[in-house]
Amino acid sequence: MAENATRRTFAVRPDFREAFWLTAFLWCGVLGFLNVASILGGTVSTVGEYLTIILAPVFAVTIAGVLFLAFWLMAGRNVLIAWPAVGIAALVAAALMTGADFGSQWVLHHIFDAHRMPDTSRMSVLIISALYLCIYTTNTALIWITSANRHMREQQHRIAVRDADNLRAELRALRLQLDPHFVINALNGVCVLIADRRYDHAERMIERLATFMRATQDYSPENTITLADEMELTEDYLAVEAERFGDRMVVAFHCDPDIASVRVPNLLLQPLVENAVKYGVNQSSTPVTVSIRAERLETDRIRLVVANDGGAAASELSGSGLGEGSTRSRLAISYGVDATFDAGPTASGYRVEITLPIRQAQSHAVSPPVGISRVLSPPVGISRVLA
């Protein structure tokens, strides 16, 4: 414990304005109470005595600058040095105030004949000094408490800023991990089309891939977008995959119109849909339905569902990809315990369900939803089942 004390530093550095007003309120309150009692008791009657009432708080607040100076000079020093120095500063301030009090009384006594000198016996001076020491000790404690509290708030703010920066960096890392993953899968699909001599489909797939990448490049990983925009990005991605799978992939979109403006992390659905395509559609020789649903669950929550009916192969493999792990991490970073993520096999395939708290767009133009799909002609090979 002693070793820890020798390593600790005095981290309090008071703000001048804050310390000044704190000191002024303290001394004006204490001396005001005593002086009002003296006036009501009839012990204050001469001009000199009224001047004393005015001068006392001025002297007290001015001398309190010794405390502020001690705090300022000791900031960053070892506590074993700092605290004794602050205590000595309080003693010095009490001694100076005692001297200022009796000195001003002596001056006023020589200016105004009617002004009465206070008792200057040793006991009286010690009592007055002890009283001033108690007030300056209280003054010191208040300065320390308010300064330490301000220092703690500033430290918490710095920690919050640092944590936010770390979270943003982690989100960027997750997105950077997902982006090449998606591109690699898409390019593998292009290679398959070329190997099958389906050159027109390969060319259109590259064009749609470029369109999708252009649509996503402006989104910062830590930012959110409206659910309508997120569904549109998912459609852009499925348009890429449609060139590869044609009629083997059936897409079902549904979204409650009243939640189109709810904000969600950008590209939240894409890796889950990519898993459904890779492990559901790609593993099946018969048509597979990829279903994307967004619906209001409660007053302040929504549910997002990505499912496929790719059969046993989809059930066994869909949870093994990168998409689920990265999505779980992004939800934990963005929402903490407010978001839920459930995934697992179903009788016909695989299903992922996410629930999120509602975050409305502030002022964001939202495309009119048609089951949330954009109004455009379906890409070649995609069948839509619009709820």
Side-chain angles (χ1 to χ4, degrees):
M1 184 178 295
E3 184 178 352
N4 290 335
T6 59
R7 294 179 180 178
R8 291 175 57 191
T9 58
F10 193 71
V12 175
R13 188 186 295 271
D15 176 74
F16 176 77
R17 180 178 297 181
E18 181 182 70
F20 171 80
W21 286 111
L22 183 66
T23 301
F25 281 124
L26 172 65
W27 280 98
C28 288
V30 173
L31 295 178
F33 174 78
L34 295 176
N35 290 329
V36 167
S38 298
I39 292 172
L40 294 177
T43 57
V44 177
S45 57
T46 66
V47 174
E49 289 166 345
Y50 278 104
L51 282 175
T52 301
I53 291 175
I54 297 173
L55 291 174
V58 175
F59 289 148
V61 173
T62 303
I63 293 171
V66 173
L67 300 178
F68 179 81
L69 182 62
F71 272 104
W72 187 262
L73 293 177
M74 291 299 106
R77 296 181 180 274
N78 190 286
V79 293
L80 297 180
I81 299 174
W83 276 118
V86 171
I88 291 171
L91 285 171
V92 171
L96 291 174
M97 186 58 194
T98 303
D101 187 355
F102 283 98
S104 63
Q105 299 278 6
W106 183 83
V107 171
L108 291 172
H109 175 69
H110 284 79
I111 295 175
F112 303 101
D113 294 336
H115 183 76
R116 294 165 294 181
M117 277 293 292
D119 182 8
T120 56
S121 65
R122 179 178 297 180
M123 183 58 66
S124 177
V125 172
L126 287 176
I127 292 173
I128 296 297
S129 298
L131 176 62
Y132 284 139
L133 179 60
C134 289
I135 299 174
Y136 275 116
T137 300
T138 303
N139 199 164
T140 301
L142 290 176
I143 291 176
W144 182 83
I145 291 170
T146 54
S147 299
N149 186 51
R150 179 172 49 80
H151 174 75
M152 183 176 65
R153 291 197 307 270
E154 291 173 350
Q155 193 172 39
Q156 289 174 341
H157 175 70
R158 287 193 295 269
I159 292 173
V161 170
R162 184 191 64 196
D163 288 346
D165 289 340
N166 290 340
L167 291 179
R168 281 192 287 270
E170 190 172 349
L171 284 171
R172 288 193 189 97
L174 288 169
R175 273 288 305 276
L176 289 173
Q177 188 180 20
L178 283 174
D179 289 345
H181 180 262
F182 159 70
V183 173
I184 289 170
N185 284 344
L187 292 178
N188 284 337
V190 172
C191 292
V192 171
L193 292 175
I194 294 174
D196 292 342
R197 300 181 182 277
R198 296 163 60 188
Y199 302 119
D200 291 342
H201 289 284
E203 183 178 350
R204 282 196 297 268
M205 188 171 183
I206 292 172
E207 290 174 354
R208 295 189 185 281
L209 175 61
T211 300
F212 176 76
M213 296 304 293
R214 278 194 297 270
T216 59
Q217 67 180 356
D218 293 332
Y219 289 122
S220 177
E222 66 270 16
N223 289 347
T224 59
I225 60 175
T226 63
L227 187 54
D229 289 338
E230 176 66 14
M231 297 293 269
E232 289 183 8
L233 287 174
T234 304
E235 281 195 296
D236 289 336
Y237 164 71
L238 287 171
V240 174
E241 296 291 6
E243 296 298 335
R244 176 183 175 189
F245 294 107
D247 292 332
R248 287 171 54 198
M249 181 170 67
V250 179
V251 178
F253 274 96
H254 170 78
C255 178
D256 292 345
D258 61 332
I259 61 173
S261 63
V262 172
R263 301 196 73 83
V264 296
N266 64 76
L267 291 181
L268 177 67
L269 296 176
Q270 185 273 328
L272 302 178
V273 174
E274 183 179 348
N275 269 10
V277 172
K278 182 177 180 180
Y279 300 112
V281 180
N282 189 47
Q283 301 294 325
S284 176
S285 57
T286 58
V288 173
T289 298
V290 177
S291 166
I292 301 101
R293 297 182 61 85
E295 54 195 8
R296 185 182 290 274
L297 185 62
E298 299 170 4
T299 305
D300 59 348
R301 296 186 71 80
I302 63 170
R303 174 166 53 200
L304 307 176
V305 177
V306 176
N308 72 84
D309 57 0
S315 299
E316 293 174 3
L317 298 174
S318 290
S320 61
L322 174 68
E324 283 193 16
S326 64
T327 302
R328 287 179 189 272
S329 298
R330 292 184 69 193
L331 291 174
I333 292 170
S334 300
Y335 296 94
V337 296
D338 291 333
T340 65
F341 184 100
D342 294 307
T346 63
S348 59
Y350 199 82
R351 171 188 168 97
V352 177
E353 179 179 310
I354 297 171
T355 64
L356 304 173
I358 289 179
R359 295 179 179 175
Q360 293 290 346
Q362 298 300 315
S363 58
H364 197 287
V366 178
S367 309
V370 181
I372 213 57
S373 300
R374 292 173 298 167
V375 182
L376 44 79
S377 56
V380 176
I382 271 195
S383 303
R384 293 176 192 272
V385 182
L386 299 179

